[in-house]
Amino acid sequence: MRLILTIVLMMVMSVSSAATDTLTVDQPQEPETMEPKKKELSWLRRTIRGFSYIDENYVEPQHYNWSVMLLGRYTWDFYRLSTTVSDRQSVAFSPRHVFKVGPYFGWRWVFLGYTVDLRNISFNLGGSGWKGIDASIYSAQIGADVYYHHTQNDYMLREVSLGKGVNERLLEDVPFDGINVGTTGVNLYYIFNHQRFSYPAAFAQSTCQKISCGSWMAGIGYLSNSLEFDHEKFQQLVDERYGEQKVTLDSALMFNSVKYYNINASVGYAYNWVFARNCLFCASGSLSLAYKKSRGETADTDKGGFDVNNFNVDAIGRFGLIYNNTKWYAGANAIVRTYRYRKERFVANNVLGEVCLFVGYNFGLKSQYKKKQ
């Protein structure tokens, strides 16, 4: 995503320059027409450059063109399915934890890299069943996230409640291959105090916050979540574990598959705390009002199947701890997303989390900083 956006911006600038040259050389006889077009092109350039404009009293810009980085990424997903009837039942599960490490190479604000699952290398456990893409764009004014996570047959039952008098521990941390989950999301947000507050300083290491500062944010987003739950296989597992004690799933949990759709508008606040020279801690939180709809198949035919169509409140939190002296940088950041779906007899809660550890080196000093040396 970063690479594509960079290419588009470069193409726009190239077209702008070419158009100006054409007007100057090929149409000198029409100065009245030429001047408005020059102003229009100048406005376009100012608009593009405005996305990265900063107040250098508060934010130190990037001094280098190139960067290399070693990144470690830890991800987790947590899901809870529960009923709302008096004898409440719930099933919570999450995949085996994934930690990946790999090198990244960057040009200005474009980073490309690849990470490898350490479980496959160190412990030879085979494929994790997890596939994912995470891409973020951080400019002074606008930020964007695009993510895709898919986990197949790699889940553990974490917390199970099947009613009063039922021993919950018999199903704790038990592998269960009857769950497949896929999540795709896009978030776009605007940073109001973008001249003095730098999101890239906390999450892209492309600038340095010099003075503590905060900003309000507003955004929009879309989420698509698909869930396959083999309730018959889960019932078989319950029968095996509890033996003669008859435990039956509530009909609200007897679905084969369901897809959630989420369109949301969010508002939040972020603050960069410069607690020491070259050291930064960032905390950011957003609440979103989400309109949600889903379609699926359940055994609850008396209720007309599974269909959610309502509004809920979701949340996104971001945290970063960074050391950056413009040449060397190191730190950690985390993103946590929570989603909630509710119907008359059914509730689904979903938490997506990611923690990144990194260390990097910038090189290739920009020309304007060579002159200052």
Side-chain angles (χ1 to χ4, degrees):
M1 287 294 297
R2 297 178 177 177
L3 181 59
I4 294 174
L5 183 57
T6 303
I7 295 174
V8 171
L9 292 179
M10 292 176 65
M11 291 176 62
V12 171
M13 297 298 293
S14 299
V15 171
S16 174
S17 300
T20 305
D21 294 341
T22 302
L23 290 173
T24 303
V25 176
D26 297 339
Q27 299 178 354
Q29 71 276 16
E30 296 181 9
E32 298 83 8
T33 305
M34 177 177 62
E35 186 62 27
K37 289 185 178 180
K38 280 187 175 181
K39 291 182 178 180
E40 180 180 349
L41 293 171
S42 178
W43 173 85
L44 177 61
R45 288 184 175 182
R46 288 198 306 269
T47 301
I48 295 173
R49 292 173 180 174
F51 284 104
S52 59
Y53 176 75
I54 56 178
D55 184 343
E56 295 191 16
N57 293 316
Y58 283 78
V59 181
E60 184 71 23
Q62 175 64 278
H63 292 188
Y64 299 87
N65 288 309
W66 305 93
S67 181
V68 290
M69 177 176 67
L70 180 65
L71 175 72
R73 186 191 304 273
Y74 173 80
T75 60
W76 79 92
D77 301 342
F78 183 84
Y79 300 86
R80 183 186 297 277
L81 310 177
S82 58
T83 64
T84 59
V85 294
S86 56
D87 194 13
R88 181 174 178 270
Q89 293 184 346
S90 67
V91 180
F93 51 90
S94 65
R96 294 180 175 89
H97 303 307
V98 176
F99 186 76
K100 295 188 173 185
V101 176
Y104 276 71
F105 183 78
W107 175 75
R108 297 192 176 183
W109 53 280
V110 180
F111 268 86
L112 296 176
Y114 183 78
T115 55
V116 178
D117 187 353
L118 288 185
R119 291 192 306 165
N120 296 339
I121 297 176
S122 300
F123 302 99
N124 195 27
L125 294 180
S128 66
W130 185 91
K131 297 179 181 179
I133 298 175
D134 291 271
S136 297
I137 298 173
Y138 298 102
S139 70
Q141 292 187 30
I142 293 177
D145 299 321
V146 179
Y147 54 93
Y148 165 77
H149 293 175
H150 183 267
T151 308
Q152 181 176 5
N153 299 330
D154 197 37
Y155 282 89
M156 304 282 288
L157 298 174
R158 303 300 182 183
E159 300 174 10
V160 179
S161 177
L162 298 178
K164 297 179 180 179
V166 179
N167 187 357
E168 302 175 358
R169 296 184 178 180
L170 293 179
L171 290 173
E172 286 184 359
D173 296 327
V174 174
F176 181 61
D177 61 358
I179 301 172
N180 296 328
V181 177
T183 303
T184 303
V186 179
N187 292 318
L188 179 67
Y189 47 92
Y190 181 82
I191 302 168
F192 289 96
N193 190 19
H194 52 267
Q195 296 181 1
R196 296 182 175 181
F197 169 82
S198 176
Y199 232 8
F203 298 101
Q205 298 80 55
S206 57
T207 59
C208 297
Q209 187 82 44
K210 298 164 67 176
I211 301 176
S212 299
C213 191
S215 177
W216 288 97
M217 303 179 299
I220 56 175
Y222 171 80
L223 172 76
S224 174
N225 197 346
S226 63
L227 171 65
E228 296 179 3
F229 179 61
D230 191 335
H231 64 88
E232 294 180 351
K233 181 177 290 189
F234 182 72
Q235 183 67 65
Q236 292 175 3
L237 179 62
V238 170
D239 294 340
E240 293 174 2
R241 291 280 172 166
Y242 289 94
E244 296 181 357
Q245 185 180 7
K246 185 64 176 178
V247 180
T248 304
L249 285 180
D250 188 281
S251 59
L253 292 178
M254 294 182 182
F255 64 88
N256 297 318
S257 64
V258 63
K259 289 186 178 181
Y260 305 92
Y261 303 92
N262 173 333
I263 300 174
N264 64 76
S266 64
V267 62
Y269 188 81
Y271 189 79
N272 280 346
W273 175 36
V274 182
F275 59 89
R277 181 178 175 82
N278 302 324
C279 295
L280 169 70
F281 175 75
C282 177
S284 169
S286 297
L287 293 178
S288 61
L289 180 64
Y291 172 79
K292 299 173 181 177
K293 184 177 181 181
S294 71
R295 297 177 180 177
E297 303 172 358
T298 70
D300 192 6
T301 54
D302 293 338
K303 294 294 181 178
F306 187 88
D307 186 17
V308 175
N309 190 346
N310 58 2
F311 285 92
N312 286 284
V313 176
D314 296 329
I316 300 177
R318 301 171 190 267
F319 307 91
L321 180 63
I322 311 297
Y323 171 81
N324 191 344
N325 64 8
T326 73
K327 194 174 186 66
W328 288 93
Y329 58 89
N333 53 50
I335 301 177
V336 180
R337 304 179 177 94
T338 65
Y339 304 100
R340 179 179 175 86
Y341 304 86
R342 182 180 178 86
K343 199 192 172 183
E344 181 182 356
R345 300 181 63 245
F346 179 88
V347 176
N349 293 291
N350 179 203
V351 179
L352 303 177
E354 176 184 278
V355 176
C356 293
L357 305 174
F358 52 85
V359 58
Y361 174 76
N362 295 316
F363 61 98
L365 197 64
K366 294 181 179 179
S367 57
Q368 61 267 37
Y369 297 104
K370 291 180 180 179
K371 297 177 182 179
K372 295 180 182 181
Q373 289 185 339

